[in-house]
Amino acid sequence: MAKSARFQVDPRLATLLGESYRSSEHALKELVDNAWDADAHEVDIQLPAPMTNDPIVIRDDGTGMTEQEVRSEYLKVASDRRSRKGEETLSLKRRIKGRKGIGKFAGLMAASTMVMETQAHGKRTGLVIRKEDLLDSRQDLEKIDLPLTTSECDERDHGTTITLTDLNQALAFPTAERLRELLVLEYGRRSDFTIRVNGEALAIEDIPGEAFTERAQLQAEGPVKLSLTFAEGKRPLKHPGVVVRVGGKVVGKPIYFGLDEDEEVPGKLLKKVYGEIEADGLAADVTPDWGAIIENSTGFKAVETWAREQLKEKLNKVFVRQMSLAKARLQQEIDRRLAGLPEHRRRFAEAALQRVLTKFYGESEERRGTVINVMLDAFERDEYWAVIQAIEVARHQGVATFADALGQFGLVDMAVIGLQTRRRLEILDRLDELMTRPDTQEKELHQVIERNLWLLEGDFTLLSSNQTVATILKKWADKEFTGDRAKKRPDLLLCAMLTGRHLLIEFKEPGHSIDRDDETQATKYRDDLRRHFDPLEVLVIGGRAATSVDANWRPPGLHVRSYAAVVSAARARLGWLLDQLTNDQQAA
Ligand SMILES: Nc1ncnc2c1ncn2[C@@H]1O[C@H](COP(=O)(O)OP(=O)(O)O)[C@@H](O)[C@H]1O
Ligand SMILES: [Mg+2]
């Protein structure tokens, strides 16, 4: 007699499936994928504040589901949606992300209770899934009763909200930052799909930078499209590189097509690349978990070769342009300082600066400012030229190889920078001492800082003081603080900044905390002096900001620093530079 048999599905399977994600952020992404598949335009993810019992809420404005759909589709385990409903979404023709029919369990990785509420066609359907019930049940998965509710809602309402409560305390809570990084990789450049995490939309389209798009038709692999953005800004990208997208879905990690091994490529710039390459022709070469492209894929080799060439060309283009831009911004100050040098020295100095700037390419403007400033100082000192001259003499005496080697590696420049940096660190030590002595007057600190404006470099690139500016300031103060007001005369210094701006510095005693009255005073001086110098910013340096003062409520263009902060920031910059030099020597 012919009999039949049936699989029995242990309910634990559901929680096992939910736990197969690498992190809770990966799990949440699965729920975002569901919103995408539901043709949502917006997804709002609310993460709990640390140390609270708040839930995680994922709300989308997609099609939602009717009770019937909840029963027949949502609750269907491991059914392939694409064979059921096709490769594309109904109205927006998006490529479906869901494929395994298990995404809904992802929420159970992070939480013990998952509430799903969905609205479609005037009906609201609610469903509660408890991990405990699944784990404790002795029955088959399909025999477990899940509480389901229905009610009326507005005909126009549609969308689904997943609420995850009783979060798994053993697990690292999902962080907004990590989740955004993850989502941006896949959804960052979609204009029809806005994702907000804690109320803030992902902002990859806003990443400022130079962008390129290249397309090609490869022989066997079909159409490929490469999009690249060279991100601006000082913050390093968390996931730089180019992701491969096959069938709309990202495969594996960002890559550089081997250019990270190429010595000719400026590595710092490479780390600014954010891009993707679409190569649907590689679909057959993707591993089943969509985690990588299978090794030895000849199709991928072809795509890679094309992409490497494109990327390298763009890198060079951007590099050349950014180098000259970076120089142009600093050029005014460089020219001014070099103008004081005799002609033959000037040409040499220009070449040396160029060499050093190339070496420090990709560092922040602030850091390049530090390097240039140190170099310019060195040029103004005779010992630099003494070294250069010694090398020239050596060259003529036939000790050429050594001298050439020195010149080639820029070791002279580096050595001089090193010397100069150490000298500056000594100045910082002196300032430290001065600052902490109880009887120090603001006048003394004023003198040291005026003679060493590089101290303020981090925030104000390439400051300089000159006679004209000083005279105008003095005239104003003489007029303003006469008679009994003379005692109130502030200790001021006016500096020219790069790009025509000016900075008014007011020095306070190192023991004095800067309060609102000081800020108001300083702003008033600035407003008075604006007639002569506009734009004009003002910096008050003193003990530190009074504890009662909220730095967020400060008028624009007003800066407050403590002497200690100035010293420690300068120390950090110089420390970095010394580190660079040491590494450089070792590499050479
Ligand atoms: N946010 C949602 N909005 C509308 N329908 C959804 C949503 N989440 C899930 N569904 C429905 O439930 C089904 C099962 O989802 P899931 O377990 O993630 O598997 P898959 O996405 O692989 O089909 C989906 O195919 C879809 O029909
Ligand atoms: Mg899914």
Side-chain angles (χ1 to χ4, degrees):
M1 175 176 146
K3 288 191 283 187
S4 66
R6 266 197 197 163
F7 278 117
Q8 290 185 23
V9 184
D10 192 294
R12 276 164 212 273
L13 179 66
T15 61
L16 276 178
L17 291 172
E19 275 153 20
S20 66
Y21 295 90
R22 252 168 298 167
S23 69
S24 44
E25 289 89 356
H26 280 90
L28 293 182
K29 179 178 170 292
E30 190 72 37
L31 303 179
V32 174
D33 286 348
N34 279 353
W36 164 269
D37 288 347
D39 274 343
H41 287 286
E42 297 191 357
V43 187
D44 266 295
I45 303 166
Q46 204 61 46
L47 296 179
M51 319 299 287
T52 64
N53 287 323
D54 297 345
I56 298 175
V57 182
I58 300 116
R59 181 195 318 269
D60 71 57
D61 65 350
T63 52
M65 290 170 274
T66 59
E67 183 186 345
Q68 176 55 32
E69 283 167 333
V70 170
R71 289 182 188 281
S72 65
E73 289 178 19
Y74 191 76
L75 290 175
K76 199 145 195 175
V77 179
S79 116
D80 184 355
R81 158 168 181 160
R82 290 175 311 155
S83 58
R84 215 167 63 228
K85 290 167 110 182
E87 298 266 350
E88 288 182 342
T89 62
L90 212 56
S91 75
L92 296 180
K93 302 281 171 247
R94 287 175 180 168
R95 213 182 271 248
I96 299 281
K97 306 265 180 189
R99 40 194 76 229
K100 303 196 196 111
I102 57 170
K104 61 195 143 273
F105 294 120
L108 292 181
M109 175 194 185
S112 307
T113 308
M114 184 166 128
V115 177
M116 196 271 296
E117 191 182 84
T118 185
Q119 309 184 103
H121 307 297
K123 292 271 162 35
R124 183 185 295 119
T125 309
L127 184 71
V128 182
I129 303 179
R130 275 195 196 84
K131 200 160 164 177
E132 293 296 301
D133 296 347
L134 300 183
L135 291 176
D136 292 348
S137 173
R138 277 161 223 273
Q139 319 169 24
D140 284 2
L141 186 55
E142 54 177 12
K143 294 194 184 127
I144 296 178
D145 282 326
L146 301 169
L148 183 143
T149 57
T150 53
S151 57
E152 305 284 313
C153 69
D154 195 301
E155 191 65 35
R156 286 163 299 185
D157 287 347
H158 54 87
T160 303
T161 302
I162 308 280
T163 307
L164 303 170
T165 49
D166 307 326
L167 301 187
N168 185 348
Q169 300 292 338
L171 212 73
F173 269 32
T175 70
E177 196 191 16
R178 184 78 194 84
L179 180 63
R180 294 170 69 90
E181 277 169 29
L182 198 64
L183 293 171
V184 120
L185 280 176
E186 186 140 339
Y187 293 112
R189 293 176 203 97
R190 295 286 171 183
S191 48
D192 61 344
F193 192 59
T194 306
I195 302 173
R196 275 185 226 96
V197 179
N198 292 340
E200 208 181 309
L202 301 185
I204 190 63
E205 315 93 305
D206 306 331
I207 282 194
E210 216 167 326
F212 299 90
T213 309
E214 287 293 336
R215 291 165 207 271
Q217 187 73 32
L218 301 186
Q219 231 164 26
E221 296 72 29
V224 282
K225 178 177 159 202
L226 178 69
S227 323
L228 301 170
T229 299
F230 290 83
E232 283 168 6
K234 295 183 189 157
R235 288 190 52 173
L237 291 180
K238 281 277 165 53
H239 293 287
V242 181
V243 290
V244 181
R245 198 191 279 276
V246 180
K249 214 164 166 152
V250 171
V251 181
K253 292 208 159 82
I255 51 175
Y256 298 101
F257 312 110
L259 284 181
D260 39 346
E261 312 274 316
D262 188 333
E263 297 230 323
E264 283 174 37
V265 168
K268 290 258 168 54
L269 183 57
L270 200 59
K271 289 277 178 299
K272 292 275 170 197
V273 173
Y274 188 96
E276 63 175 61
I277 180 161
E278 287 172 42
D280 290 353
L282 296 180
D285 294 1
V286 178
T287 58
D289 67 345
W290 230 249
I293 296 191
I294 52 174
E295 273 174 56
N296 307 328
S297 153
T298 52
F300 181 67
K301 291 254 151 59
V303 172
E304 185 181 47
T305 307
W306 175 78
R308 184 192 302 127
E309 228 166 80
Q310 297 299 324
L311 178 58
K312 191 163 182 175
E313 187 206 313
K314 304 296 184 268
L315 274 163
N316 284 332
K317 214 182 222 167
V318 172
F319 181 69
V320 168
R321 188 157 41 227
Q322 291 195 354
M323 272 299 293
S324 60
L325 256 179
K327 249 191 88 205
R329 272 199 290 270
L330 302 167
Q331 199 65 50
Q332 222 184 333
E333 175 65 8
I334 293 174
D335 289 348
R336 196 182 65 74
R337 301 272 297 264
L338 291 185
L341 298 175
E343 172 68 22
H344 65 284
R345 285 188 176 185
R346 194 182 318 152
R347 245 180 294 129
F348 192 95
E350 271 166 5
L353 266 180
Q354 180 68 37
R355 271 199 307 275
V356 171
L357 274 179
T358 309
K359 201 168 230 120
F360 286 99
Y361 171 80
E363 292 296 348
S364 65
E365 186 120 321
E366 173 189 337
R367 286 180 164 175
R368 281 200 313 267
T370 304
V371 178
I372 291 177
N373 206 293
V374 169
M375 281 292 275
L376 288 170
D377 265 8
F379 294 149
E380 283 158 7
R381 285 172 186 269
D382 281 338
E383 69 227 67
Y384 179 85
W385 302 103
V387 177
I388 299 297
Q389 206 167 18
I391 290 175
E392 283 307 305
V393 172
R395 208 192 298 275
H396 287 120
Q397 286 171 350
V399 206
T401 19
F402 174 63
D404 277 352
L406 273 181
Q408 231 166 29
F409 287 113
L411 281 186
V412 186
D413 308 326
M414 294 298 153
V416 176
I417 290 182
L419 199 70
Q420 197 65 15
T421 308
R422 286 194 188 91
R423 192 173 282 139
R424 286 185 170 189
L425 284 169
E426 281 163 24
I427 293 178
L428 287 180
D429 290 342
R430 272 226 308 280
L431 202 57
D432 247 345
E433 196 200 301
L434 210 54
M435 198 168 76
T436 41
R437 253 192 359 227
D439 55 339
T440 298
Q441 300 286 303
E442 63 261 43
K443 206 165 52 202
E444 298 168 70
L445 291 161
H446 178 149
Q447 274 173 3
V448 179
I449 293 182
E450 179 167 5
R451 263 185 262 124
N452 297 282
L453 284 172
W454 53 267
L455 278 163
L456 299 172
E457 227 164 64
D459 304 293
F460 311 98
T461 315
L462 300 179
L463 289 172
S464 59
S465 59
N466 63 56
Q467 206 47 53
T468 328
V469 167
T471 311
I472 295 177
L473 177 67
K474 186 171 179 302
K475 258 197 199 147
W476 169 79
D478 285 347
K479 209 171 84 212
E480 197 74 10
F481 302 94
T482 49
D484 8 323
R485 274 179 60 73
K487 279 202 297 301
K488 294 207 162 137
R489 185 175 177 130
D491 196 347
L492 298 173
L493 172 68
L494 190 58
C495 301
M497 254 195 285
L498 209 59
T499 63
R501 292 186 302 156
H502 284 84
L503 179 71
L504 178 70
I505 306 174
E506 179 177 3
F507 297 92
K508 295 284 191 186
E509 270 173 46
H512 176 87
S513 310
I514 299 159
D515 58 22
R516 279 289 185 239
D517 289 344
D518 297 321
E519 291 188 13
T520 316
Q521 268 305 329
T523 318
K524 196 188 154 301
Y525 301 148
R526 178 194 56 186
D527 291 345
D528 281 358
L529 282 163
R530 261 231 174 100
R531 268 176 292 140
H532 306 282
F533 306 100
D534 200 22
L536 178 64
E537 291 179 37
V538 52
L539 166 68
V540 187
I541 314 182
R544 61 182 145 86
T547 41
S548 59
V549 168
D550 181 350
N552 290 320
W553 295 94
R554 205 165 262 159
L558 171 70
H559 312 272
V560 172
R561 295 280 181 287
S562 67
Y563 290 104
V566 168
V567 169
S568 76
R571 210 182 278 287
R573 288 194 301 273
L574 294 175
W576 162 81
L577 187 51
L578 273 186
D579 268 1
Q580 296 296 304
L581 297 179
T582 328
N583 293 342
D584 222 86
Q585 306 273 9
Q586 280 162 359

